[in-house]
Amino acid sequence: MTVPLRLIPRNLFASPLVALRSLLTLASLVVAVFLLCILRSVVANLDAGVQASSGRRLVVQSAVSLFVDLPLSYQAKIESVPGVAETTVFQWFGGYYQERSNFFAQFAIDHEPFLSMYPEVSLVQGSAEDWLRGRTACLIGVDLARRFGWQVGDTIPITGGIFPRAGDAPWEFRVAAIYRSSSANVDNHTLFFHFDYLRESLESGEARGPRGAGTYVVQLAPGADPIAVAREIDALFAGGPQRVQTSSEAEFQRQFVSMVGSVPTFLGSIGGGVLFAIVLAVLNTMLMAARERTVDLGILKALGFTDATVFALLLLESLLLAGVGGVLGVGLALLCEPVFGAVLGPMFGGFSIPRSTLLLGLGLAVGVGLAAGLLPAWRASRLRCVEALRAEA
Amino acid sequence: MALVPFSYSLRSLAVRRSATVLTVASIGATVAVLAGVLALQQGFSTLFREAGRDDLLVLLRPGAGSEGESFFPRDRAAVLKKSFPEFAQDEAGPLVAGELYLGVRLRKHPALGGGETNVPIRGVERRSFELTGAGLRVLDGGRRFRWGHDEVIVGRKLVSRIAGCAVGRRIRLNTTEFEVVGVFDVEGPYASEIWGDFERLREALQRNGYSRLVGRLAPGADLRALREKLSGHKQIQAKLLTEREYLTSQTAALSGALLFLGTFLGLVMGAAAVFTGTNTMLAALAARTHEIGILLSLGFRPGAIFFAFLLESLLLGLLGGVVGCLLVLPLHGVETGTTNFATFTEVAFAFRVSPTVLGVAALFAVGLGLLGGLLPAWSAASKLPTEALRRR
């Protein structure tokens, strides 16, 4: 059996009106697939940090509040706990570049252990020696570097929100290296700098602000039991002055997802409902269009096309329309990925569309194509030529 | 020009029932989503904006965007409280109070699935009840906390959202346990907070100063002059805002995010609704070519036919708008909560399906109907009577 493939585009664009309807159906599908990709990705990205977390790192934070610092004296005590290999401070800096709206995260960290504790972070430009040596050195993520056009060797002025410098002058950090993280738990949109620089500036009075550490990140020694180590650290400070809460990196990340609350579920259900409505409407118009072609099909059959050929022709037509819609929808979503990355990235630590979501989008399109194609195709293959020719459009 | 009777448009919709229902549903869903997100945004921003008082002054550390980032050492605050005649006075001294603010880690109510969230806690001074807490009322069955005791009162909106927020329960803050002795209600976002004695909370939380100062502007005092005085002052550096300005600034980030979300969803879904609307109208048109021929041969002008079809589409949009609005109306007053990005603490607020929201939704729906109808109407009006009448 040979299917006259040439007929497919001719049918889809039989007249200006039919062509318009085909294009509108296509456009609706593109929108549906696009929406599916974007909404699913937003939800998936919220969770990506949790999923990608390392099981060998623990985070020690205040049990009282996310906004309370732990005393610096805690670090040595935590390091004395058996099973703890290395630790680093993570202090939220809360500054901004030029405008408050230029939001991105900055952390003061212990520069030496940081690189060995985070093997997922690799330097793509600049050198580790430069990072270790310079007092004002900083590491910036590739996305951040691209956003502001920063390069290795540049000096970045950051106004301290929580840690103002004397005279409200901005802090100045020199870019020692640009990093790329291969894992979603560290985003590519952060600036890291030496905690020693912050501490010394506070001690010398060059800057003002709380003197402590927001969190300590603990690298477990090989073979150490995370739960036992966490319990032991918590017990160290149970009597004060600040109680701590030690959790796995995944748990730590999850609290931020939990803060966003029910918004993802809310979005998901909205998206699902609307997607359903769009798909139904697309299906309906495709079925209506097929019904009007009874006479055409009668002619094909009168010319000698077999039932199977007519079946294949109609099914392929529907699949082609849906398939093109799916590909365009996925393409549009990919095209918009950087735009969403720029808008949502600084807040949510990056935005990327998972491969599985792209496949789902294509699957949805093909599913619509099948559903809208099978019934008319089956009906057409059963059609008796004489009746079809007599039918009125 | 004789218009095609209105009943023709109405009947046409009734005849092709399934297509009408589908189009109305897709427009309705789109409108409902837009209106839902807008109602969320309205509820959130009016809660803050409308509660703001213009004669209540808020002082923050310069550069701080919210009280969570702000800090005043006690000695500096003591000077500040006394030095400015612009603050109202009475027998007991200037109407100024220092407040401690911290988002503390508490568990959500089990009914909300547990999980941790950040709840704002406010350590207040006696004068706070004439300032921030003016109008605060403790609900029956509770009382205010006693000064100098480890007691707190909790905002009404926390009771159903946060675990342990009921009279008689205890909340552990660091190493000290505080007893909940009352539930209070007050205007604005404060009803999502826990309040206690500044001195007791400061000690328990290991803080050594205030987060912000609040004061009442003396009648007739010049706000702008005070603002200049404060920013130029050597020892005391402070940023001065009215409470309304302060609360409004706290809504910018989340409000912006919600507006972005609403616009994005509205546009994308709106596009889809216009496409499907046009498409179903076009499909209906194909089946009605004969009818149009009859209308034309009866003497109706193409313009009249254009209007009849446009009207039909507008009716579809209007119906969709009504459905969408009906879908979101039950949301009005439903309490929800989310984290306010400005302070990273949870705030509870209610959806507000305000007339503005409904108006925007209705306009949007009619716009969708109009856009979806233009092309089919034009195509209907441009048919020739003889061709339209001819049967294939």
Side-chain angles (χ1 to χ4, degrees):
Chain A
M1 173 187 90
T2 53
V3 181
L5 293 173
R6 268 185 316 154
L7 281 182
I8 294 177
R10 290 203 182 168
N11 280 337
L12 286 172
F13 299 94
S15 70
L17 205 63
V18 172
L20 181 67
R21 284 168 61 183
S22 298
L23 286 179
L24 284 172
T25 306
L26 188 75
S28 306
L29 259 177
V30 170
V31 171
V33 171
F34 170 75
L35 198 65
L36 175 83
C37 287
I38 297 297
L39 287 185
R40 255 189 66 103
S41 301
V42 168
V43 177
N45 276 282
L46 281 176
D47 241 20
V50 178
Q51 302 295 336
S53 293
S54 162
R56 301 308 294 165
R57 286 193 294 257
L58 300 177
V59 182
V60 185
Q61 56 180 335
S62 160
V64 181
S65 165
L66 185 64
F67 314 98
V68 164
D69 288 337
L70 299 174
L72 293 178
S73 60
Y74 277 24
Q75 191 166 17
K77 289 179 189 153
I78 293 170
E79 281 175 354
S80 71
V81 171
V84 173
E86 275 181 302
T87 67
T88 175
V89 168
F90 255 78
Q91 175 69 316
W92 175 258
F93 186 65
Y96 54 91
Y97 171 64
Q98 291 175 341
E99 297 284 333
R100 239 171 221 288
S101 52
N102 284 337
F103 176 85
F104 61 90
Q106 308 105 31
F107 284 102
I109 49 160
D110 289 325
H111 54 282
E112 270 175 60
F114 178 72
L115 287 182
S116 63
M117 283 176 67
Y118 286 85
E120 58 266 54
V121 170
S122 52
L123 305 185
V124 289
Q125 272 178 54
S127 71
E129 284 134 51
D130 216 17
W131 157 246
L132 293 177
R133 229 182 302 116
R135 192 171 104 108
T136 64
C138 73
L139 289 179
I140 58 174
V142 282
D143 288 350
L144 186 61
R146 198 179 320 124
R147 178 173 167 200
F148 293 107
W150 290 331
Q151 282 163 3
V152 172
D154 284 359
T155 298
I156 305 175
I158 302 284
T159 308
I162 305 173
F163 301 97
R165 281 183 85 84
D168 282 330
W171 293 71
E172 293 196 332
F173 300 111
R174 195 179 44 78
V175 179
I178 296 176
Y179 74 86
R180 180 190 295 282
S181 162
S182 59
S183 173
N185 55 329
V186 181
D187 66 50
N188 285 311
H189 220 112
T190 301
L191 182 152
F192 295 102
F193 68 97
H194 291 204
F195 181 70
D196 287 345
Y197 179 33
L198 176 65
R199 186 173 46 79
E200 285 161 17
S201 301
L202 291 173
E203 280 166 4
S204 69
E206 283 170 60
R208 285 178 292 125
R211 295 182 193 185
T215 57
Y216 293 104
V217 177
V218 169
Q219 174 76 48
L220 291 168
D225 174 19
I227 297 169
V229 172
R231 203 176 295 141
E232 198 156 338
I233 295 174
D234 284 352
L236 268 183
F237 310 107
Q242 273 292 336
R243 281 195 307 122
V244 302
Q245 174 175 323
T246 307
S247 50
S248 67
E249 196 176 85
E251 279 299 320
F252 179 75
Q253 300 257 20
R254 193 166 291 130
Q255 71 179 345
F256 297 101
V257 178
S258 150
M259 263 189 227
V260 184
S262 48
V263 174
T265 340
F266 184 64
L267 268 187
S269 46
I270 291 173
V274 171
L275 215 59
F276 187 69
I278 296 178
V279 166
L280 259 185
V282 168
L283 217 59
N284 186 49
T285 48
M286 287 173 90
L287 291 177
M288 277 171 92
R291 219 171 293 140
E292 287 157 21
R293 296 207 357 230
T294 317
V295 180
D296 300 6
L297 295 171
I299 296 174
L300 282 181
K301 288 201 161 181
L303 286 174
F305 285 85
T306 62
D307 290 352
T309 313
V310 173
F311 181 88
L313 198 62
L314 278 189
L315 189 59
L316 280 178
E317 197 179 305
S318 162
L319 277 178
L320 181 74
L321 197 62
V324 171
V327 170
L328 287 180
V330 164
L332 188 64
L334 283 177
L335 211 67
C336 289
E337 198 179 3
V339 181
F340 279 90
V343 177
L344 301 173
M347 290 288 243
F348 296 103
F351 177 87
S352 65
I353 303 176
R355 293 284 159 272
S356 62
T357 298
L358 294 179
L359 285 179
L360 192 76
L362 285 178
L364 174 85
V366 172
V368 170
L370 271 181
L374 273 177
L375 185 70
W378 179 76
R379 211 189 273 150
S381 71
R382 296 284 303 262
L383 203 64
R384 286 180 51 198
C385 156
V386 189
E387 277 173 22
L389 280 174
R390 202 186 298 144
E392 282 171 19
Chain B
M1 185 176 81
L3 288 176
V4 180
F6 180 61
S7 59
Y8 172 74
S9 301
L10 264 185
R11 282 203 190 145
S12 305
L13 289 178
V15 166
R16 47 190 181 99
R17 226 166 278 127
S18 65
T20 303
V21 167
L22 218 60
T23 312
V24 168
S26 79
I27 294 180
T30 307
V31 170
V33 168
L34 178 77
V37 178
L38 281 182
L40 204 62
Q41 187 267 338
Q42 285 283 311
F44 171 69
S45 74
T46 39
L47 174 72
F48 280 73
R49 213 175 40 232
E50 284 183 1
R53 289 157 282 196
D54 286 318
D55 61 344
L56 193 66
L57 305 177
V58 173
L59 286 96
L60 300 176
R61 176 177 65 71
S66 74
E67 49 187 324
E69 289 174 17
S70 170
F71 180 76
F72 287 106
R74 306 191 75 179
D75 51 342
R76 221 180 286 174
V79 178
L80 218 162
K81 281 183 181 176
K82 281 181 290 195
S83 329
F84 296 95
E86 283 86 351
F87 288 127
Q89 312 268 334
D90 62 9
E91 315 81 63
L95 254 171
V96 185
E99 293 178 348
L100 165 73
Y101 176 94
L102 185 69
V104 295
R105 198 187 289 285
L106 291 174
R107 298 204 79 82
K108 286 186 191 167
H109 200 278
L112 294 176
E116 277 179 355
T117 188
N118 302 305
V119 179
I121 198 156
R122 189 177 298 278
V124 297
E125 295 183 322
R126 282 166 205 271
R127 303 232 84 166
S128 292
F129 285 101
E130 298 163 58
L131 298 160
T132 317
L136 178 142
R137 174 172 79 79
V138 176
L139 303 186
D140 293 343
R143 56 173 173 84
R144 279 193 190 174
F145 58 84
R146 289 172 295 167
W147 300 101
H149 285 76
D150 292 340
E151 295 175 346
V152 290
I153 50 177
V154 301
R156 178 182 63 79
K157 292 186 176 171
L158 294 181
V159 176
S160 61
R161 303 194 61 84
I162 305 298
C165 281
V167 176
R169 300 285 296 272
R170 288 173 173 277
I171 296 175
R172 188 173 183 207
L173 298 172
N174 200 7
T175 52
T176 315
E177 294 220 329
F178 283 78
E179 189 187 345
V180 178
V181 296
V183 174
F184 69 90
D185 196 8
V186 68
E187 287 288 299
Y190 304 113
S192 297
E193 297 181 343
I194 298 176
W195 283 27
D197 180 358
F198 166 76
E199 290 295 343
R200 294 305 310 136
L201 287 171
R202 182 192 63 75
E203 204 175 303
L205 296 170
Q206 300 269 308
R207 313 295 275 177
N208 48 7
Y210 299 107
S211 302
R212 73 170 189 182
L213 296 177
V214 288
R216 185 170 309 285
L217 189 66
D222 187 355
L223 183 65
R224 199 176 309 152
L226 179 59
R227 197 168 291 190
E228 265 165 36
K229 237 177 176 178
L230 276 168
S231 62
H233 204 282
K234 283 261 156 42
Q235 293 150 306
I236 313 149
Q237 290 185 328
K239 180 161 93 171
L240 178 73
L241 300 161
T242 66
E243 193 194 31
R244 186 188 299 277
E245 286 167 345
Y246 174 73
L247 289 179
T248 305
S249 75
Q250 298 303 293
T251 63
L254 186 59
S255 244
L258 287 175
L259 284 179
F260 172 78
L261 181 72
T263 316
F264 169 74
L265 287 178
L267 282 181
V268 172
M269 293 178 185
V274 167
F275 294 154
T276 50
T278 308
N279 223 345
T280 35
M281 281 284 286
L282 282 177
L285 209 63
R288 277 159 62 189
T289 313
H290 192 69
E291 240 172 83
I292 297 167
I294 295 175
L295 283 174
L296 284 167
S297 53
L298 281 175
F300 287 109
R301 313 293 308 162
I305 292 185
F306 178 82
F307 281 117
F309 276 79
L310 198 61
L311 190 66
E312 206 175 307
S313 180
L314 278 179
L315 280 175
L316 277 179
L318 211 60
L319 275 175
V322 170
V323 168
C325 288
L326 285 180
L327 281 176
V328 290
L329 266 184
L331 276 181
H332 185 76
V334 171
E335 294 248 324
T336 182
T338 189
T339 293
N340 183 5
F341 299 144
T343 49
F344 265 108
T345 53
E346 183 156 309
V347 58
F349 56 95
F351 280 87
R352 240 179 91 100
V353 186
S354 62
T356 323
V357 171
L358 291 179
V360 169
L363 269 180
F364 184 65
V366 171
L368 290 182
L370 190 72
L371 279 177
L374 278 178
L375 214 102
W378 178 78
S379 134
S382 54
K383 287 198 190 309
L384 290 173
T386 44
E387 272 178 28
L389 273 175
R390 191 183 303 145
R391 300 196 170 194
R392 283 213 290 175

